Amino acid sequence: MKRVRERLADWNRDNPEQPIVVKMPDVWKKVREMGKDRTQRIADTAPKALRAQMREEAAALRS
């Protein structure tokens, strides 16, 4: 973690016009995403109109 914080501080110092700000809710969201399997992540990021169809196809493949 120390190295990551140092790299972030270096980036923000070298790029003051584009600072990176890490927010805990964003970190928690990424952690939740990491717990999902590949097909679930893909289905969740698909356009809303295609989500149900993708979930059905993924379920059929698992069966």
Side-chain angles (χ1 to χ4, degrees):
M1 283 300 290
K2 182 180 179 183
R3 186 168 186 270
V4 172
R5 287 186 177 126
E6 289 171 356
R7 290 183 65 199
L8 178 61
D10 291 345
W11 170 269
N12 287 340
R13 183 185 58 249
D14 296 341
N15 301 284
E17 69 284 349
Q18 293 179 324
I20 297 173
V21 180
V22 178
K23 299 176 191 144
M24 282 311 293
D26 295 336
V27 173
W28 296 330
K29 182 178 179 182
K30 289 289 185 185
V31 170
R32 282 192 305 272
E33 289 292 316
M34 289 170 41
K36 295 179 182 178
D37 69 355
R38 181 175 181 259
T39 55
Q40 185 63 40
R41 284 193 312 271
I42 292 170
D44 287 348
T45 58
K48 204 171 194 177
L50 297 176
R51 286 183 197 163
Q53 178 184 351
M54 290 186 71
R55 286 192 179 109
E56 289 171 7
E57 289 176 12
L61 289 174
R62 280 184 252 151
S63 300

